[in-house]
Amino acid sequence: MLGPGIKRFELDARDIARKALPGQFVVLRIREEGERIPLTIADTRPDDGVIAIVFQEVGKSTKLLGTLEKGDSILDVIGPLGNPSEIEKFGTVVCVAGGVGTPEILPLARALTQAGNKVITILGFRNKDLILMEPEMKAVSSELIVTTDDGSNGTKGFVTDALKQVIERGTKVDRVIAVGPVIMMKMVSKLTEPHAIPTIVSLNPIMLDGTGMCGACRVNVGGETKLACVDGPEFDGHKVDFDLLMQRLKIYLPQEKESLELFKKTCEHQGENDA
Amino acid sequence: MPKPSPKRIPMRAQKPEKRRYNFDEVPFGYSPEEAMAEAQRCLQCKKPSCIKGCPVEVDIPGFIGKIAEGDFWEAAKIMKRTNVLPAICGRVCPQEIQCEGSCVLGRKMEPVGIGNLERFIADWEAEQAECVKCEKRPPTGKKVAVVGAGPAGLTVAGDCIKLGHQVTVFEALHKPGGVLAYGIPEFRLPKAIVQREVDFIRSMGVKLVTDEVIGKSRSIEELFGEFDAVFIGTGAGRPWFMGIPGENSLGVYSANEYLTRSNLMKAYLFPKYDTPIVKGKHVAVIGGGNVAMDSARTALRLGAKESMIVYRRSRKELPARAAEIHHAEEEGIVFNFLTLPKRYVADKDGWVREMECLRMRLGEPDASGRRRPIPIEGSEFRIPVDMVIVAIGNSPNPLIPGSTPGLETGKHGNIVADPKTGRTSKKGIFAGGDIVTGTATVILAMGAGRIAANSIDEYLKTGEW
Ligand SMILES: Cc1cc2nc3c(=O)[nH]c(=O)nc-3n(C[C@H](O)[C@H](O)[C@H](O)COP(=O)(O)OP(=O)(O)OC[C@H]3O[C@@H](n4cnc5c(N)ncnc54)[C@H](O)[C@@H]3O)c2cc1C
Ligand SMILES: Cc1cc2nc3c(=O)[nH]c(=O)nc-3n(C[C@H](O)[C@H](O)[C@H](O)COP(=O)(O)OP(=O)(O)OC[C@H]3O[C@@H](n4cnc5c(N)ncnc54)[C@H](O)[C@@H]3O)c2cc1C
Ligand code: SF4
Ligand code: SF4
Ligand code: FES
């Protein structure tokens, strides 16, 4: 448990651990009736054959995943999928993350630092109780700025406010990488565009197979349709149609609600039986 | 020999008004009596033209002759010699342009129901306590890796294991079968049958590894650390879109996504199964092939009031199997011929609400020999829809070509392989099926697999390339 509704698991997945690079993800299916859900590979320990995932319990599948305990097994783990992040010496890189994007950006920030970049990390949370992984992020960044929407800790405001300050104080920023809620990635991209700072975002559309076979994950980048699972998940933030992405994430809202409610009911039911 | 009756024995099927609401298989299959009667229509030609129409050259008069005599066991044995997946081929081959299209009876009357008989004998065998065992050659100590568990890969696996090699199949999805598992619906090809055929191959000793995306978790190069030869049968997995405005609207699916949700993930059983699917009431399917028919008929079963095919040529040019077109018509699928979508119109939340189409007319034949559709200017009209399924084809899956340096690919990203041997431009690597030819048929993929298996065997013996 990392925070309210946010959990970190380590999975036994030797082949994946050997190959995974920052920015890649896995697709999981928890049980026979389960759906296939994508989750970023948050860390790897190749020698132990272990990968880590961090997830937020938002709906049926992630809540079900959260009920698993140490030693339980997951039916299918497929990966590493997607293209790895571009890691080079860019100069000064600002890593921006919000909420559950934080653990996803950790391996990226680490790799960028190792590649000789100056890494400034900006993390945003709604309030101080939701702050994640501050010490770990500090260890891999030259500078860490934490914001909370309500000012209960760190700087009050959004990550974009902090990024704006960094740019305005005269720091020469060579690249920005943003991982987190779509609206955050959109605002970050909007902010950096007039400054012509290359901005990379990691997109999270609804996925199914994760191998480029179905077209569920299509996104519009620079007027062209791309498949996030094989052409991405990282894209040039200045070219992404974020509004379309936000719309497409809502396709199954009614079904997701139905599924979650059914899940809650069976959980309560089981609780009664256990008692 | 008495003259055969001009009509074939019809196959009993679920009534259209009933089956359009369920996912159970449509035809019931022949009874032994019906099968024998149909088999007796075959003339047992000395030079059987039907065999030339079959890409894997099944001994058609041979197995049909045994059915006519009532010796089903022997018929099954003959069948399994050339065709490892008869229960599937009998159901999905486009027989009217292959074996049955070449049967001599067809010149004057209905050809022998070869597909129906093939299906019968496979299903009969499956019901017996024992199944036909295939003789295996002594172990060679050589190891073959097969990438992709579609019909091409499964055929290579089945053949190579019989030839005495050790075989491991790697499949990216969580279930083997390729299109047979994720694409073709239950009502046309019950998944239990695919499972049965997969189990048979497994029982011969083939090792099957699912959830393994080659090119990601391991490269083809790395496979050579463990294996002596590699076969690539990864299919034509990447869906085409038309690139017209509004195509990313909510409710516009690729056929691959729609069918995968329904077949592989069992979204038709939501919420018992977790994968959701949009249930359109007014559904338009773009395209005229098997994939389009499967999509339109699935939409009907998922509760559509109206499910229509939108095709730019006329009925005569429909590429789907004759049986599927017939079944679709019976079930009340609406056909809009000579119609081409131009753009989709969405509501404020992004959901598709209408499609604007153009009327077409047919011009001169094009390279494919079919008459080219030409838009009629100013003929725009709108059709109200709440769901669209785009079924206009797929291009080869780019994962392996993109991660295997030096592997020659063609114009469309397909892997280049010699059709006579299945050999690619790289030593030890063979390829076949849709990844080489683009979307084709199950039996052609199997045919390519058979050729590749024999040439793998030869390569493993001689080491020569
Ligand atoms: C490449 C990628 C990497 C991701 N990495 C992480 C991660 O590291 N940690 C994390 O917590 N989340 C991550 N996500 C999001 C995660 O996949 C979804 O939260 C999860 O699928 C929700 O499933 P559910 O049943 O719990 O919720 P649901 O109630 O089904 O859905 C809640 C919301 O999640 C999204 N969603 C639903 N199904 C899918 C799906 N099949 N694919 C993608 N999004 C879906 C939709 O926006 C939906 O409204 C990632 C998504 C992508 C595409
Ligand atoms: C809906 C539909 C209906 C059809 N109906 C008919 C019909 O009635 N009759 C007919 O003859 N044909 C039909 N076809 C066409 C036929 O199914 C295909 O031509 C045939 O399946 C091709 O076989 P294949 O083995 O080449 O590839 P596929 O069946 O596509 O199998 C390829 C397999 O490789 C796997 N794979 C891909 N990449 C990787 C990787 N990197 N690592 C590991 N595994 C990988 C895929 O997941 C897949 O399982 C239909 C096709 C569809 C989509
Ligand atoms: S495999 Fe197909 S083409 Fe060949 S005989 Fe059987 S049904 Fe006909
Ligand atoms: S051509 Fe027709 S009649 Fe002749 S052997 Fe083949 S199936 Fe029988
Ligand atoms: S998830 Fe199916 S193509 Fe990307």
Side-chain angles (χ1 to χ4, degrees):
Chain A
M1 181 90 86
L2 289 178
I6 297 185
K7 286 184 177 159
R8 180 175 192 278
F9 279 2
E10 293 196 341
L11 313 178
D12 225 339
R14 190 156 298 275
D15 276 356
I16 302 175
R18 221 161 27 85
K19 273 289 172 100
L21 293 169
Q24 292 190 295
F25 61 95
V26 288
V27 164
L28 315 178
R29 194 171 67 122
I30 303 167
R31 55 182 193 130
E32 186 52 39
E33 295 84 2
E35 61 184 333
R36 295 170 64 106
I37 60 165
L39 293 172
T40 305
I41 302 168
D43 210 350
T44 57
R45 289 207 314 275
D47 295 337
D48 306 327
V50 165
I51 64 167
I53 51 167
V54 176
F55 60 95
Q56 185 161 27
E57 297 181 353
V58 289
K60 157 93 187 256
S61 296
T62 45
K63 280 195 197 300
L64 180 67
L65 187 61
T67 63
L68 299 185
E69 287 171 19
K70 205 175 165 146
D72 285 351
S73 61
I74 294 173
L75 195 55
D76 303 284
V77 184
I78 304 129
L81 300 171
N83 298 311
S85 310
E86 222 183 317
I87 306 288
E88 274 173 38
K89 188 163 177 197
F90 299 108
T92 301
V93 182
V94 181
C95 291
V96 187
V100 76
T102 310
E104 296 178 36
I105 213 160
L106 177 70
L108 264 172
R110 185 187 294 136
L112 284 164
T113 298
Q114 279 166 0
N117 293 285
K118 178 173 183 247
V119 174
I120 302 172
T121 303
I122 303 174
L123 301 178
F125 302 94
R126 274 202 315 264
N127 62 55
K128 70 175 196 308
D129 300 328
L130 300 174
I131 294 178
L132 288 178
M133 307 176 78
E134 217 179 334
E136 291 94 324
M137 290 302 309
K138 206 168 201 150
V140 297
S141 320
S142 335
E143 186 184 347
L144 175 69
I145 305 166
V146 176
T147 69
T148 47
D149 297 1
D150 64 356
S152 53
N153 191 305
T155 321
K156 177 173 159 66
F158 300 118
V159 286
T160 37
D161 299 326
L163 178 59
K164 200 161 165 226
Q165 278 168 22
V166 170
I167 296 170
E168 280 173 0
R169 79 187 180 197
T171 311
K172 185 179 166 295
V173 178
D174 297 296
R175 198 178 177 88
V176 171
I177 299 176
V179 182
V182 181
I183 184 72
M184 181 209 94
M185 294 191 284
K186 176 180 171 178
M187 298 321 272
V188 167
S189 302
K190 257 196 162 157
L191 174 68
T192 58
E193 195 165 10
H195 300 281
I197 303 170
T199 300
I200 304 297
V201 292
S202 177
L203 302 186
N204 57 345
I206 292 183
M207 291 189 179
L208 183 59
D209 61 307
T211 67
M213 179 271 278
C214 77
C217 63
R218 56 198 200 271
V219 288
N220 187 318
V221 183
E224 266 182 74
T225 295
K226 299 273 181 193
L227 301 182
C229 69
V230 283
D231 302 329
E234 294 184 356
F235 292 100
D236 177 349
H238 298 150
K239 292 192 177 155
V240 170
D241 181 344
F242 289 103
D243 296 336
L244 177 72
L245 175 61
M246 280 189 258
Q247 264 181 353
R248 287 188 59 88
L249 279 167
K250 292 187 193 143
I251 299 179
Y252 299 108
L253 278 185
Q255 286 100 322
E256 284 156 4
K257 213 168 139 227
E258 183 185 345
S259 198
L260 184 59
E261 253 143 46
L262 195 75
F263 178 66
K264 280 188 184 150
K265 249 190 234 147
T266 43
C267 282
E268 281 164 21
H269 197 66
Q270 260 176 5
E272 283 162 24
N273 284 352
D274 290 349
Chain B
M1 192 178 280
K3 258 184 117 169
S5 71
K7 288 221 170 288
R8 70 165 61 152
I9 308 279
M11 195 179 268
R12 289 161 293 115
Q14 273 200 75
K15 293 259 176 306
E17 46 293 1
K18 182 161 170 242
R19 69 179 191 240
R20 56 171 292 179
Y21 299 109
N22 69 49
F23 278 84
D24 299 340
E25 193 177 11
V26 170
F28 292 127
Y30 280 156
S31 67
E33 295 72 30
E34 286 166 337
M36 286 168 70
E38 180 61 23
Q40 278 151 11
R41 291 183 64 231
C42 170
L43 303 175
Q44 294 292 312
C45 305
K46 287 277 165 306
K47 284 193 190 144
S49 51
C50 52
I51 297 187
K52 289 200 197 77
C54 170
V56 295
E57 303 190 341
V58 166
D59 177 2
I60 296 167
F63 95 86
I64 290 184
K66 290 294 168 194
I67 296 181
E69 290 169 20
D71 188 351
F72 300 152
W73 189 251
E74 206 43 46
K77 262 177 143 167
I78 295 174
M79 173 62 65
K80 282 267 169 98
R81 247 180 251 149
T82 41
N83 184 348
V84 274
L85 306 169
I88 293 164
C89 292
R91 285 171 168 85
V92 306
C93 270
Q95 286 96 1
E96 67 274 11
I97 57 167
Q98 295 183 343
C99 51
E100 295 175 11
S102 304
C103 165
V104 287
L105 285 194
R107 285 189 216 143
K108 295 229 173 79
M109 50 182 94
E110 283 187 355
V112 176
I114 303 170
N116 289 354
L117 291 169
E118 184 162 324
R119 169 194 162 136
F120 165 78
I121 204 65
D123 290 353
W124 177 87
E125 188 210 341
E127 283 169 16
Q128 311 309 306
E130 259 184 289
C131 69
V132 172
K133 288 263 178 346
C134 294
E135 290 119 56
K136 265 167 83 171
R137 280 207 325 227
T140 60
K142 301 281 186 191
K143 291 175 117 183
V144 179
V146 172
V147 185
L154 292 175
T155 306
V156 171
D159 282 8
C160 281
I161 198 109
K162 278 194 246 165
L163 293 166
H165 311 301
Q166 280 184 55
V167 184
T168 304
V169 180
F170 297 99
E171 167 55 47
L173 292 172
H174 57 262
K175 262 207 188 87
V179 168
L180 309 177
Y182 74 73
I184 304 182
E186 180 76 19
F187 57 82
R188 195 146 78 78
L189 179 64
K191 297 309 136 204
I193 290 170
V194 181
Q195 192 58 45
R196 193 170 83 203
E197 303 290 356
V198 168
D199 288 345
F200 175 70
I201 286 168
R202 237 193 220 127
S203 74
M204 291 197 292
V206 170
K207 199 172 146 202
L208 232 136
V209 182
T210 50
D211 295 338
E212 180 105 32
V213 187
I214 300 297
K216 287 288 179 187
S217 58
R218 280 197 237 185
S219 65
I220 297 281
E221 297 286 305
E222 283 170 283
L223 290 177
F224 278 102
E226 193 184 331
F227 297 93
D228 304 295
V230 175
F231 175 82
I232 305 171
T234 47
R238 190 169 171 136
W240 281 337
F241 288 95
M242 291 174 65
I244 57 176
E247 219 169 12
N248 292 334
S249 304
L250 280 62
V252 180
Y253 275 118
S254 78
N256 275 9
E257 179 183 358
Y258 187 68
L259 293 171
T260 301
R261 283 184 184 275
S262 182
N263 298 325
L264 183 71
M265 306 310 295
K266 297 208 162 55
Y268 67 91
L269 298 174
F270 181 89
K272 183 166 176 282
Y273 280 73
D274 294 337
T275 304
I277 194 164
V278 175
K279 296 187 175 176
K281 290 288 169 222
H282 300 275
V283 181
V285 179
I286 318 301
N290 287 321
V291 187
M293 299 302 143
D294 286 346
S295 304
R297 296 171 70 198
T298 298
L300 206 60
R301 285 159 174 77
L302 283 170
K305 282 206 188 86
E306 177 190 39
S307 177
M308 59 190 142
I309 292 279
V310 175
Y311 181 54
R312 61 191 180 135
R313 302 187 210 235
S314 71
R315 190 183 190 290
K316 219 174 107 223
E317 287 83 19
L318 279 174
R321 293 179 79 219
E324 308 318 324
I325 300 169
H326 173 68
H327 283 150
E329 283 173 338
E330 279 185 344
E331 287 168 14
I333 302 287
V334 179
F335 286 80
N336 289 298
F337 294 115
L338 296 168
T339 306
L340 183 76
K342 203 176 154 199
R343 68 187 179 108
Y344 301 104
V345 184
D347 65 16
K348 66 173 190 351
D349 296 322
W351 283 91
V352 65
R353 286 295 167 248
E354 272 185 321
M355 54 190 260
E356 191 176 297
C357 300
L358 276 174
R359 290 259 181 248
M360 312 291 277
R361 63 184 173 79
L362 291 180
E364 294 300 310
D366 62 12
S368 73
R370 293 176 303 174
R371 293 179 64 191
R372 185 195 307 272
I374 303 167
I376 301 174
E377 237 172 275
S379 64
E380 283 87 350
F381 66 104
R382 290 185 172 207
I383 305 178
V385 289
D386 57 9
M387 195 170 111
V388 172
I389 303 167
V390 183
I392 57 166
N394 297 306
S395 46
N397 192 309
L399 269 181
I400 300 236
S403 65
T404 315
L407 189 63
E408 191 189 339
T409 51
K411 214 171 44 225
H412 305 286
N414 53 304
I415 296 179
V416 176
D418 181 348
K420 287 201 264 329
T421 60
R423 291 180 179 206
T424 67
S425 59
K426 284 194 87 172
K427 189 174 174 188
I429 304 182
F430 300 77
D434 284 2
I435 185 74
V436 171
T437 56
T439 312
T441 60
V442 172
I443 190 67
L444 283 171
M446 287 175 50
R450 156 124 325 142
I451 289 169
N454 289 332
S455 108
I456 289 171
D457 186 49
E458 198 180 299
Y459 167 68
L460 292 177
K461 270 193 221 140
T462 62
E464 274 164 35
W465 192 253

